[in-house]
Amino acid sequence: MPRILVVGGGYAGFYTAWKLEKHLRKGEAEVTIVDPLPYMTYQPFLPEVAAGEIEARHVIVGLRRHLKKTRVITAKVTGIDHANKVATITPAVGDPWQEQYDQIVVTAGAVSRTFPIPGIAENAIGLKTIEEAVAIRDRIFTNFDRAANLPAGPERDRLLTVVVVGGGFAGIEVFAEMRALASSLLKDYPQLTFEDTHFHLIEAMSRIMPEVSLKTSEWVLKDLAKRGANVHLDTQVKGAVDGNVELSTGEVIPTDLIVWTAGVMANPTVVRGSDLPVEERGRIRTRADLRVGTEAEVVEGAWAAGDVSAVPDLTGKGVGGYCVPNAQHAVRQAKLLAKNLTAVIRGELPTEYVHHNLGAVAGLGLYNGVFQSGNIALKGFIAWLAHRGYHGMAMPSWERKWRVIGDWWHNLWLSRDNVSLQTVQNPRYVFEEFAARPRPAANAPAPAPAIDPKTVAAEDAGKAPAQSAASR
C-alpha cells in the first residue's frame, strides 16, 4: 500500500488529509500527518480571539477528532531525505526515528518573519498561533486591571499603550479589534478615560492594506483616526529595548504590548532540513500542478502547498508570479492536491491550480468591516456581515461552525466575556504559595561548628591551643 506522509497540520495539511480520506478507496493508500500540535488553527479568527469575541478553543480543529482514517503523529519533522524517501521525526519526548514514505506532501506553513531589531525578540509577540492571540487578549485585560489602581502618569500610560507593527490585513484587523476592545472595557473602569488609552500602528510603506484599493485603504485610515488610533506611515521600528519602541522619526513610545505582524516566511525548520529544491525567498519550488519541481522537471513523489510553497499564479495577478501566502490559496491548493495525488496513484494525470481571487474582507471591530472585490467596495456594517458570513462558512466542519456561531450569538445578547486568564500561564502559583514544606527532623544532629583556619594551621605547626592539647 502506498504511504503518504503529510508534513504540517495547518490549513493545507489538514485539508489535504481530510480530502484524501474522501477520495481514496479503502486500502488504496495509507496517510500519515505529522505536526507538533494536535490541531489546526483557523488563523483569520485570531484577531477576534485577541479581542475576546470568540472562545479560543472554538477556532482550532482537532486533528484526531476530524481525521478518522489518518494516522496522526504529534511531533516535528526535522529532516527530509527525499532521495531515499525517508523523513526524520522528532517527538517532544523520546528518541527521533526515521519514517519511510512513497509520497510526501510538504505543508509546513509559515512563521512570523522578523528582523534583527534590538528588543523585538525579547518584547514583541506575533499573531500566528492561538496561544499568541490568547496572550494578547489576557495582556490587555490584565493591564486594564493594573492601570486602574495607578494614578495618572508614565506607568499607567505604558500599561494602556498598544503598538502594532505591520499594516497588512493581519495587522489592521488585530489593531482595529484591540482598539474596539479597549473602548468597550472603559465602562467597567470608571478610573480610566478614553484619552488614557493609546494605540499606535507602525507601517514602513506609504499605505496600509495593499490587498485593497488605495481609496478603500484611505477610508480605513480615516475610520481608525475617528476611533482615536494613531497610524504612522513611512515609519520603521529601530528598537524596542525594555518596551520602549523607537521609531525612525525619532519618537519613542513606551508600551507593555508590542504585536508584530510585519510579514511571514516559510517554516525554516522543514525547508532547511530537506533536500527539496528551494527558490530565492526560501520556499519550496512547486509546479502549478502542486508537484515539487519546475515547469521542465518534476521531483517524483513530492508535493507542496500553502505558505511553505512557491506555486505559480496562472491568473497573472500574483506577487512575483506566485500565489500570495494566504488562507484562500492554501485551502484551495490543498483540495486540488488531494485530487491530484489520488489521480497520480491511479495512473492518471494531475491538473493545474488556477484560482481567481474572490476579493478581500476584513473585520475592523464589532459591527465594522471592509470588503473589496474588483472595483466593488463595501464598508461598515454590511462589510462586517460579509466578513462573518464568509469566515463562518469557511471554518472547517459543521461542528466547529456551530461553536463559532454560538459564540457570536451569545455575545450579541450577553456581550463579550472580559476576564483575564493570564494566570493560566502559571497555574501552580496558588498551590506553590500555600503548599506545606517538610520541617527539619526534631532529633537531627546539630551541625558541626565552623572550622577556624587559624586553628588548623596552628595544629599543623605543632602549636595547638592548650585546650586542644588537654583533650589529647
Side-chain angles (χ1 to χ4, degrees), residues 6 28 55 63 105 115 127 142 199 264 290 293 402 441 453 460:
V6 181
E28 193 170 17
E55 164 61 34
L63 300 181
V105 179
F115 307 100
L127 191 67
T142 299
F199 281 74
V264 297
L290 303 177
W402 284 119
D460 292 342

Side-chain angles (χ1 to χ4, degrees), residues 6 8-20 33 39-41 61-67 70 107 334 396-397:
V6 181
Y11 289 119
F14 171 78
Y15 270 96
T16 297
W18 205 26
K19 294 303 179 181
L20 281 172
I33 188 169
Y39 52 80
M40 182 211 90
T41 302
V61 182
L63 300 181
R64 287 184 170 85
R65 175 165 186 166
H66 294 277
L67 299 177
T70 301
T107 53
S397 84

Side-chain angles (χ1 to χ4, degrees), residues 111-405:
V111 299
S112 295
R113 181 193 64 187
T114 58
F115 307 100
I117 300 173
I120 287 296
E122 295 78 13
N123 298 300
I125 185 170
L127 191 67
K128 290 291 291 179
T129 68
I130 191 66
E131 294 83 1
E132 290 173 327
V134 171
I136 291 169
R137 179 197 67 187
D138 289 343
R139 178 69 65 86
I140 293 175
F141 292 160
T142 299
N143 283 358
F144 264 74
D145 290 335
R146 293 171 176 172
N149 297 326
L150 297 174
E155 182 58 22
R156 191 169 81 171
D157 288 343
R158 186 182 67 85
L159 291 172
L160 297 178
T161 299
V162 174
V163 174
V164 175
V165 184
F169 250 56
I172 290 297
E173 282 193 290
V174 72
F175 183 68
E177 291 285 0
M178 289 191 298
R179 173 67 272 184
L181 170 62
S183 298
S184 71
L185 284 176
L186 291 172
K187 66 180 183 300
D188 299 324
Y189 296 88
Q191 308 93 327
L192 305 176
T193 66
F194 181 84
E195 289 70 25
D196 292 327
T197 60
H198 313 282
F199 281 74
H200 298 267
L201 184 134
I202 317 301
E203 171 53 50
M205 297 175 61
S206 59
R207 58 164 296 182
I208 61 171
M209 303 176 75
E211 301 90 342
V212 302
S213 68
L214 180 60
K215 184 177 180 181
T216 301
S217 70
E218 289 175 348
W219 178 87
V220 174
L221 284 174
K222 292 178 182 178
D223 183 72
L224 291 173
K226 290 178 183 177
R227 290 189 273 166
N230 302 285
V231 179
H232 306 256
L233 299 178
D234 292 315
T235 305
Q236 297 177 344
V237 175
K238 294 297 184 181
V241 178
D242 297 328
N244 295 308
V245 179
E246 180 184 353
L247 305 182
S248 56
T249 59
E251 183 179 359
V252 177
I253 305 173
T255 177
D256 193 56
L257 178 56
I258 305 170
V259 182
W260 182 274
T261 63
V264 297
M265 65 179 180
N267 189 319
T269 302
V270 173
V271 172
R272 295 171 186 168
S274 80
D275 57 355
L276 298 173
V278 178
E279 48 92 64
E280 56 273 7
R281 294 189 63 184
R283 299 172 296 180
I284 294 176
R285 195 175 294 280
T286 310
R287 294 160 48 93
D289 60 11
L290 303 177
R291 289 183 290 181
V292 173
T294 63
E295 187 176 348
E297 185 179 358
V298 178
V299 178
E300 295 293 341
W303 305 75
D307 295 356
V308 77
S309 64
V311 179
D313 190 337
L314 299 184
T315 66
K317 299 179 181 178
V319 177
Y322 296 102
C323 296
V324 296
N326 61 25
Q328 194 174 136
H329 280 303
V331 171
R332 286 166 175 79
Q333 288 171 7
K335 292 178 179 179
L336 179 63
L337 194 157
K339 290 181 179 179
N340 283 351
L341 182 48
T342 303
V344 168
I345 289 176
R346 295 172 182 170
E348 303 169 2
L349 294 176
T351 58
E352 293 184 331
Y353 175 76
V354 181
H355 172 64
H356 294 274
N357 194 346
L358 301 176
V361 60
L364 301 176
L366 210 54
Y367 310 127
N368 195 20
V370 62
F371 169 81
Q372 180 88 45
S373 180
N375 295 325
I376 301 175
L378 303 176
K379 310 177 186 72
F381 180 71
I382 191 170
W384 176 79
L385 288 177
H387 170 264
R388 287 207 162 176
Y390 173 78
H391 286 297
M393 294 306 299
M395 185 73 188
S397 84
W398 280 102
E399 178 258 338
R400 291 287 112 175
K401 286 180 173 66
W402 284 119
R403 291 183 187 273
V404 170
I405 293 171

Side-chain angles (χ1 to χ4, degrees), residues 449-457:
I451 299 176
D452 184 357
K454 295 180 180 179
T455 302
V456 174

